[in-house]
Amino acid sequence: MSTLDFNRVRESIKAQQGSEVMIRQDKGRNRVDIQKGIILEAYPSVFTILVSDKRRSDNPPQLLSFTYTDIMTKEIRMKLC
């Protein structure tokens, strides 16, 4: 992983702030969590996504944070909706 790749990922996330994304998060042992959310903020080391579970009305929205390294190591995968 080079600094250039890291900066490219960070700028890409920053440019997509406010966009709706689909997140596929690998939880280990063949477990995968797929959620839909909105990119809220992009900080120097992390970015935050607001996820709301529309299948269950009793679940409040959650604020998830990820590092840019999570994307580079493919711990999470994102695509625009």
Side-chain angles (χ1 to χ4, degrees):
M1 285 186 268
S2 71
T3 305
L4 181 63
D5 293 335
F6 185 82
N7 289 335
R8 190 176 301 149
V9 169
R10 185 180 349 178
E11 291 303 317
S12 175
I13 297 290
K14 188 178 274 191
Q16 296 171 5
Q17 261 181 303
S19 301
E20 189 174 24
V21 292
M22 182 77 72
I23 305 165
R24 181 180 187 267
Q25 186 177 8
D26 292 330
K27 297 271 190 175
R29 294 196 179 233
N30 296 327
R31 292 183 299 161
V32 176
D33 188 23
I34 299 174
Q35 297 177 323
K36 194 180 278 193
I38 297 173
I39 300 173
L40 285 185
E41 294 288 333
Y43 299 104
S45 298
V46 298
F47 61 97
T48 58
I49 297 178
L50 183 65
V51 175
S52 60
D53 190 1
K54 295 182 178 167
R55 295 172 286 179
R56 296 182 54 195
S57 61
D58 60 337
N59 251 359
Q62 295 179 348
L63 186 64
L64 304 177
S65 64
F66 300 102
T67 65
Y68 302 108
T69 308
D70 290 337
I71 292 177
M72 294 174 67
T73 59
K74 298 185 180 171
E75 290 290 320
I76 66 166
R77 296 173 191 233
M78 293 187 344
K79 74 175 185 179
L80 290 173
C81 294

